[in-house]
Amino acid sequence: MASALEDVQAEDYVEYFLFPDGIPSSTSKDEVNDYLRNIFSVISCCAAEHKSEYIWHKDPFNTAPILDDESELLPPHLHGTTHFGDNIEDEWFIVYLLIQLTKDIPGLVVRVIDTDGEFLLIEAADFLPPWADPETCGQRVYLYQGEVHFIPPTNTNDSEDEPKNLIPVVDAIQLIRSCPKNTRAPQPIQNAIKERIEGYPSKIKEDLHRTTISIPAEISALLKDNPSLIASAVRAFCERDPIDKRACRNMAHFKPDNCVPTSVLFTKCLYAMLCHEKAVPEKRSGWVLPPPSSSTFKMYNLGYKVACGFEILVDRAKKCGENPDAGQSSTPVQICDLSDNRGWSMYLNSLKKKEYFKDLLEGSKEYTTLLDKAKEFYLSNCTSSSKVLPDSSAGHEILSRMSSLKLDIKALKEESKNIPPPDDDSWLEISPEEVDLMLKNRYGPVKDRMRKDQLSGQGGLATVLGGFLEYMSGMEGAEFPTQGTSKSSSKTFSGKAEGSTAPKSNGEENENVAGDSKLNFDPEGFSCAVQNILDFAIPEDSWDLNSDSDDSDIGSYEDEGEMDLNEIKPGKKRNPDAELKQYMDQMDRELANTTLAQSFEKKASKMEKKVQSVQEDDSFDDVEDFQPVDIDMNALKNILESYQSQMGGAGPASNLLGPMGVHLENLAKKSSDKNDNQ
């Protein structure tokens, strides 16, 4: 039960393991501990040189010595976990730091993963070998001497056993250090990772945004001493809950009486979050903003939001400090009302996401029992833990500094006269063309893009759809024809289906499947086996006007009372085709009185030819009323209607045809113009 209550890990984290060289196996634990502490000091100094100006979105880069880990059988190492929140750049900056550390510290081997596992391979998914997939690549990706190292399985022809027998980390580290040339990842993989972290450390300054805001003098002094507090304040404001909003109603700690203009440094991610979050101060708070049309509105509006963030941090710290010694007492904790406790609210939501309460009805006896155990665990272990209240440390820092803070408001106002002008924030506005260019630079141009003249008629689009439907689907889903079938591993890591290919002969198809996935699958044989089991066959939808089959009279309608499909006379062989035909006839009679058939486009010209060919045959008098459906025209019509109903947004039509290289903007416009002319 305790393990379930302790497992409240967030999903936005990156985890890293640093394995230093030079630790003899016969060394005592005390000596190993001293050695790790020395390495820790070296790593901290090296990392500080690269991240001196960096503003972390949530957690900073940090490591701690780990002597042993019996659960994962890891050698002595340094371990760290960083939650990056909404700013994914923090994760890749950590990758840059780790690569630099492997260059600066001889013999250092690093393993880095996140919630997706070996995310470095996901970045290089298009260049992986055929055997690589998420199940076979665990504990096989490392950083060493500034490069990516990728340990292949010992037997690539029998990789199905690899997930069961993962290579031990100790063996992997030894193999990398002894034979680095054999484990070095191919150059395309190296280039993919280097391209992702290209620009650091100069990229740090490019990701910053400086602007002028009006904030209380206390906050101005706090940010001057510790600029990184702005990240905690912005996140606290943007992620505020009803309990946090209560603190913003009164603004007990940060009044607008002594506000001063201050130049504040944000990351672009934090600045965008703050700008797009709406807030209106209440009268009781004392804050009054100028009208939105005023040139100073943004300066005061952003300042109010930042002040609210600091107010929330202080309020959280005070609530967290109400019972600072919780968890140290060995006596049972009395269950109390935690309805207004923000930490408990976050902890309870995390438990619900982890399905701690299973499917129990809220308020039931078993649910209440689990709830009481969770409250007891929270009061004993989590009330003063930054794991549940990640911003409580920032709030405590603000409280401690404010108690000894000496303000010189006149000096702050004098400094505000010489502050630099704010940076241009036009980067907040981006056009669709710029988005397309960014996607093109990031993921490359769309392959096999359809030409406009190919989509000008119904045949072009229908041909594309028909070709897609003819493609074979793999065990993990369908693949769009334009995506290719070069590497099964890249499809798996990038979320594409594995094993999809164009239609081939039976021999080629079986050979390809057997060679790539070790699975010999015969679709026709499988279909026949299922058909034999069910004893059920679907007849072909075709007419044979010259057929003399004994079943030619099946088409005549029968009364519903005469249809007993479950009754089979002794000695008479069951005819599943006839049974299905009776079902179809019954369905036709039920739909005959509806207007459903009128909603389909018909092939009138072809119908005339069919009528002429059967005019002399009295047994087909009803053919004159039959008009075959134009499949291509109906598909085109429905797709255009779906696209027009999307009104330019995402929807079924664009999501289906976009990855295939089909873009309906011009086609929809042409269809609309044609309808207007008619």
Side-chain angles (χ1 to χ4, degrees):
M1 180 63 64
S3 60
L5 295 173
E6 292 173 358
D7 186 17
V8 196
Q9 181 79 6
E11 297 181 355
D12 56 348
Y13 71 93
V14 56
E15 191 174 10
Y16 32 93
F17 307 82
L18 291 77
F19 303 97
D21 193 13
I23 303 179
S25 58
S26 60
T27 306
S28 63
K29 287 188 176 181
D30 293 338
E31 293 177 345
V32 172
N33 191 21
D34 293 339
Y35 183 84
L36 289 179
R37 291 185 182 278
N38 293 333
I39 292 294
F40 171 77
S41 300
V42 174
I43 289 176
S44 299
C45 293
C46 293
E49 296 178 1
H50 300 286
K51 62 183 181 69
S52 58
E53 299 180 355
Y54 197 83
I55 297 178
W56 298 98
H57 188 83
K58 197 169 185 179
D59 296 340
F61 175 82
N62 62 90
T63 56
I66 306 295
L67 289 178
D68 52 19
D69 190 344
E70 297 180 358
S71 61
E72 296 188 12
L73 300 177
L74 299 179
H77 63 282
L78 288 91
H79 173 263
T81 301
T82 296
H83 294 82
F84 49 81
D86 296 322
N87 192 359
I88 192 66
E89 284 301 320
D90 280 10
E91 180 177 28
W92 286 103
F93 179 63
I94 288 177
V95 173
Y96 164 77
L97 283 178
L98 296 173
I99 290 178
Q100 296 302 314
L101 290 175
T102 59
K103 293 180 180 179
D104 298 338
I105 303 176
L108 181 65
V109 178
V110 175
R111 180 175 182 237
V112 55
I113 57 175
D114 64 5
T115 50
D116 294 324
E118 307 290 353
F119 68 96
L120 296 180
L121 295 187
I122 299 177
E123 186 67 22
D126 294 334
F127 312 104
L128 299 182
W131 58 266
D133 60 52
E135 295 182 351
T136 60
C137 293
Q139 299 181 1
R140 296 184 176 276
V141 185
Y142 297 85
L143 301 175
Y144 180 65
Q145 295 180 345
E147 294 181 320
V148 180
H149 286 254
F150 193 17
I151 302 176
T154 55
N155 187 1
T156 57
N157 295 326
D158 192 21
S159 60
E160 296 178 356
D161 295 334
E162 293 301 325
K164 302 177 182 178
N165 300 312
L166 294 175
I167 180 172
V169 175
V170 178
D171 296 342
I173 295 173
Q174 184 178 1
L175 182 61
I176 291 173
R177 287 176 179 156
S178 59
C179 305
K181 293 183 179 180
N182 297 337
T183 60
R184 183 185 181 277
Q187 193 60 41
I189 297 179
Q190 305 285 349
N191 295 338
I193 303 302
K194 290 180 180 179
E195 182 179 355
R196 186 62 179 83
I197 62 175
E198 185 179 5
Y200 286 113
S202 60
K203 189 178 178 181
I204 296 176
K205 294 183 179 180
E206 298 175 2
D207 192 47
L208 298 178
H209 181 87
R210 183 177 292 276
T211 191
T212 303
I213 61 177
S214 179
I215 52 179
E218 298 90 344
I219 299 178
S220 178
L222 290 170
L223 290 176
K224 186 176 181 181
D225 294 339
N226 186 2
S228 63
L229 286 175
I230 192 64
S232 298
V234 172
R235 286 190 298 102
F237 174 74
C238 295
E239 300 170 2
R240 65 193 185 281
D241 57 22
I243 299 176
D244 295 329
K245 291 180 180 179
R246 296 178 188 175
C248 298
R249 292 174 184 173
N250 297 320
M251 298 293 289
H253 300 89
F254 301 103
K255 296 292 184 180
D257 302 333
N258 56 349
C259 286
V260 293
T262 306
S263 181
V264 179
L265 193 63
F266 299 83
T267 64
K268 289 185 176 180
C269 179
L270 292 171
Y271 183 75
M273 291 172 58
L274 195 66
C275 288
H276 289 87
E277 192 71 22
K278 296 181 179 180
V280 178
E282 296 193 14
K283 292 183 179 179
R284 72 181 79 174
S285 67
W287 285 78
V288 179
L289 301 180
S293 58
S294 174
S295 59
T296 60
F297 173 77
K298 178 177 286 188
M299 180 178 68
Y300 284 97
N301 185 32
L302 294 178
Y304 168 71
K305 295 176 183 179
V306 171
C308 286
F310 275 84
E311 185 74 31
I312 293 172
L313 291 175
V314 172
D315 184 70
R316 291 179 183 177
K318 285 190 171 182
K319 290 182 178 179
C320 183
E322 291 176 356
N323 188 13
D325 297 328
Q328 300 178 2
S329 175
S330 59
T331 58
V333 179
Q334 182 180 0
I335 303 300
C336 59
D337 184 18
L338 296 173
S339 57
D340 292 336
N341 189 301
R342 181 180 181 277
W344 163 251
S345 177
M346 296 175 59
Y347 182 69
L348 183 61
N349 290 334
S350 299
L351 290 178
K352 290 179 179 179
K353 291 180 180 179
K354 299 292 182 179
E355 299 182 353
Y356 166 73
F357 296 101
K358 303 177 182 178
D359 295 328
L360 297 175
L361 180 64
E362 186 172 355
S364 63
K365 183 178 180 180
E366 295 182 3
Y367 183 94
T368 304
T369 301
L370 292 176
L371 183 63
D372 290 340
K373 291 181 179 179
K375 287 182 177 180
E376 181 178 353
F377 183 87
Y378 173 79
L379 291 172
S380 300
N381 300 275
C382 300
T383 51
S384 61
S385 172
S386 60
K387 180 180 181 182
V388 178
L389 287 174
D391 294 322
S392 60
S393 60
H396 284 297
E397 180 182 351
I398 294 172
L399 282 175
S400 62
R401 292 195 177 188
M402 286 181 61
S403 60
S404 59
L405 192 64
K406 296 181 180 180
L407 293 177
D408 189 350
I409 299 179
K410 291 184 178 180
L412 291 174
K413 289 185 177 180
E414 285 296 327
E415 292 180 4
S416 65
K417 296 179 180 179
N418 299 321
I419 58 177
D423 295 340
D424 182 19
D425 60 359
S426 59
W427 53 267
L428 286 171
E429 304 295 334
I430 185 170
S431 64
E433 292 75 14
E434 291 174 323
V435 174
D436 292 339
L437 181 60
M438 293 169 60
L439 294 175
K440 181 179 179 180
N441 295 335
R442 178 68 181 86
Y443 300 103
V446 179
K447 299 179 180 179
D448 298 334
R449 185 179 297 274
M450 297 291 294
R451 294 183 302 173
K452 295 181 180 180
D453 56 348
Q454 290 178 305
L455 300 177
S456 58
Q458 66 182 45
L461 181 58
T463 302
V464 174
L465 293 176
F468 170 71
L469 295 176
E470 291 178 0
Y471 270 67
M472 300 297 295
S473 175
M475 296 294 291
E476 298 183 8
E479 175 186 307
F480 288 101
T482 58
Q483 289 177 338
T485 57
S486 59
K487 292 182 177 64
S488 61
S489 58
S490 64
K491 300 182 186 72
T492 306
F493 270 97
S494 60
K496 303 176 185 177
E498 183 175 0
S500 302
T501 182
K504 298 180 180 181
S505 63
N506 293 339
E508 293 178 349
E509 180 180 321
N510 293 338
E511 181 180 357
N512 178 67
V513 174
D516 290 345
S517 60
K518 307 299 184 298
L519 177 63
N520 191 353
F521 179 73
D522 185 1
E524 297 182 359
F526 177 79
S527 177
C528 294
V530 174
Q531 180 175 344
N532 292 335
I533 294 174
L534 300 178
D535 193 19
F536 186 85
I538 299 178
E540 296 182 359
D541 186 14
S542 60
W543 280 358
D544 188 357
L545 301 179
N546 297 324
S547 175
D548 295 331
S549 173
D550 295 336
D551 296 333
S552 60
D553 58 341
I554 294 178
S556 61
Y557 290 152
E558 300 179 12
D559 295 336
E560 296 182 21
E562 298 177 0
M563 294 178 60
D564 189 359
L565 302 179
N566 296 324
E567 180 180 357
I568 302 177
K569 298 181 180 180
K572 184 177 179 180
K573 185 177 180 180
R574 185 175 177 224
N575 190 341
D577 291 359
E579 295 176 5
L580 180 62
K581 189 62 172 67
Q582 289 177 334
Y583 275 122
M584 300 299 292
D585 292 342
Q586 176 66 16
M587 184 172 63
D588 289 342
R589 285 195 293 272
E590 293 180 1
L591 296 176
N593 297 326
T594 67
T595 60
L596 180 64
Q598 301 176 6
S599 64
F600 297 103
E601 300 292 336
K602 308 296 179 61
K603 293 182 179 180
S605 59
K606 295 183 178 180
M607 198 50 252
E608 294 177 357
K609 296 181 180 179
K610 286 193 174 183
V611 172
Q612 293 176 359
S613 64
V614 296
Q615 280 181 346
E616 299 178 357
D617 195 338
D618 295 336
S619 61
F620 289 94
D621 292 339
D622 61 337
V623 172
E624 297 180 2
D625 297 330
F626 175 75
Q627 291 181 326
V629 175
D630 191 336
I631 303 295
D632 295 343
M633 177 61 73
N634 279 277
L636 179 60
K637 176 183 176 182
N638 293 334
I639 289 176
L640 286 177
E641 290 178 353
S642 175
Y643 182 78
Q644 291 174 350
S645 66
Q646 297 170 200
M647 300 181 66
S654 58
N655 291 342
L656 173 65
L657 299 178
M660 300 170 61
V662 180
H663 298 271
L664 297 176
E665 293 85 356
N666 296 330
L667 184 61
K669 184 177 183 301
K670 183 176 181 179
S671 176
S672 178
D673 295 341
K674 181 179 180 181
N675 293 334
D676 294 339
N677 295 332
Q678 291 178 351

